[in-house]
Amino acid sequence: MTTVREAVFDVLRRHGMTTLFCNPGSTEVPLLAGLPDDLRFVLALHEGSVVGMATGWAIGGRAPALAVLHTVAGLGNAVGAIATARENRVPLVILVGQQDRRHLALEPFLTGRLGGLAGDYPVRVDQPVRAQDVPGALARAGHEALTYRGPALVVVPMDDWEAPYEGETTAAPRRLLRPAAVADADLAPLVELLAGARRPAIVAGAGVGPGWDALVALAERLGCPVFQESFGGRAGFPQDHPQYAGVLPADRGRLRERLAAYDVVLAVGAPVFRQYAYAPGPLTRPGTVVALVTDEPSEAHRSPADLAYLASPAAVCERLAGLLPYSARAEGGRARRAQEPSPVTRLAAGSTAGSTAGPPAGPTAGHPLRPADVLRELARRLPRDAVLVEETPSSRPDLHRLVPARTSLGFVSAAMGGLGFGVPAAVGLRMALPDRPVVAVVGDGSALYGLHALWSAAHYRVGALFVVLANGRYAVMDRLADKHGGGKAPWPPFTEVDMGALARSLGCPALRVDSYDGLTAALDDVMPALATRESPLLLDVAVTVDPDFQP
């Protein structure tokens, strides 16, 4: 007799969800005990790390990823990570355990009121009416997660797994195709707009995804600058490209100034335009026409654009690059690019990426390390294909300035803004991409939210490098309190925390770095073999707070 459990395993195999990220509870034991050998179980020590690791796995191209959570306690602990996965547009299927269906009406111990616990962040929440509906619900969750690019939850009572499934119908297609072609006639308004622009610009966002090369071709054909969206979860354009113009400001005043020179601004895979602190006034100056290309419906519906396309950014950019003629700007730009060094070359020569001047190449002997010193030395050694995960809010401006993303995974961050993403996401990314070097640059405050994932990295021999910029405080919060002017912040520093000791207690090797020579020696030792490394390493780097930092 075929059981619901066996039918679900077939669904998981068909959808490529054969790695289960999990922190188990009693309601999941009937599913997990005696797991078939072709299904891989990955243990994380906290549910935030379960979803964070699955998120990294999915970002690395293993989509949709599968996470298994334990009723209210597990789902509740993971809600922040689920929100991050939704904002990062990452397809996840999350299976949540529930008490035995046969006495749910009596609300026994571990009964979960699970339907709305994660709020509006899941793209779908399904609580199957019958045990026999579970395989179809999981198949549909896989389809919905990929279609809407977010987490889809399925709640399964613990007694459902052994229920019979013989002769049942799985209420989901075995295959679901998503044709992404766009008709030339539909693109005519955008072609006309861009062809007639005197000074166009592009804003690239995390939603560019597989359209990276197509967007480069379009930008080169237009000969225009390309900005990175603010607070984006991934790089949308190569940041060592001569046309890269930096990260857009996250406040309206500076945004208007930055875009004032352009008559047409095309946002690709990015909202129009993501902000942080409120400031009055329009997003752009009068006379600037804004167009948008995105495959995210809510992004298209809320963006104050003059022209919006709900379509695949990759498909649109590829056709636009074929339909638009080369502009005079593009011809001139190609001639200049042949003569100018790239930003990475300038960085290697001792200058900051994308500029002609910057801080000195290294700190003065005897002075404490600054975050910029660490990032500059990392950038000089970082392989071109490295995956870099960022979660260091007080050092993010320096990272954007000094460490250009040269592939679409050259910058990966949490679009939500909450902490706890960096460490587990780096573990999941390295598991999904075992042949690529993975580096996580995280603040010590950020690392403490997801440090449990270091145990998983050590146990499963995940050779990622974790560079912890340790200043013993929440530097962003300190500076925000100073700017607010409402008096002294009540929270203390946490300089007693020893990141290296915590890492070693979780089985992860760690090295303390508190000097420039120690930093360069550590990076010179680890970086050449990072792609083939089989164990994690944490560098606990003591840094001083940058007095000029502004959040």
Side-chain angles (χ1 to χ4, degrees), residues 27-28 69 71-72 75 93-99 101 104 111-117 124-131 133-134 137-138 141 152-158 160-161:
T27 52
E28 294 74 60
L69 302 177
T71 190
V72 172
L75 180 57
V93 172
I94 300 177
L95 193 158
V96 184
Q98 174 65 293
Q99 247 286 7
R101 187 186 292 272
L104 277 178
T111 299
R113 299 177 185 177
L114 302 169
L117 186 55
R124 177 175 173 80
V125 177
D126 198 346
Q127 301 186 72
V129 176
R130 304 182 307 147
D133 297 330
V134 170
L138 281 165
L153 273 60
V154 181
V155 178
V156 183
M158 61 190 298
D160 282 8
W161 299 112

Side-chain angles (χ1 to χ4, degrees), residues 374 378 439-443 465-469 523 537-539 541:
V374 180
L378 178 65
V439 179
V441 179
V442 297
L465 173 65
F466 302 89
V467 180
V468 177
L469 303 179
L523 292 176
L537 175 66
L538 183 141
L539 297 183
V541 186

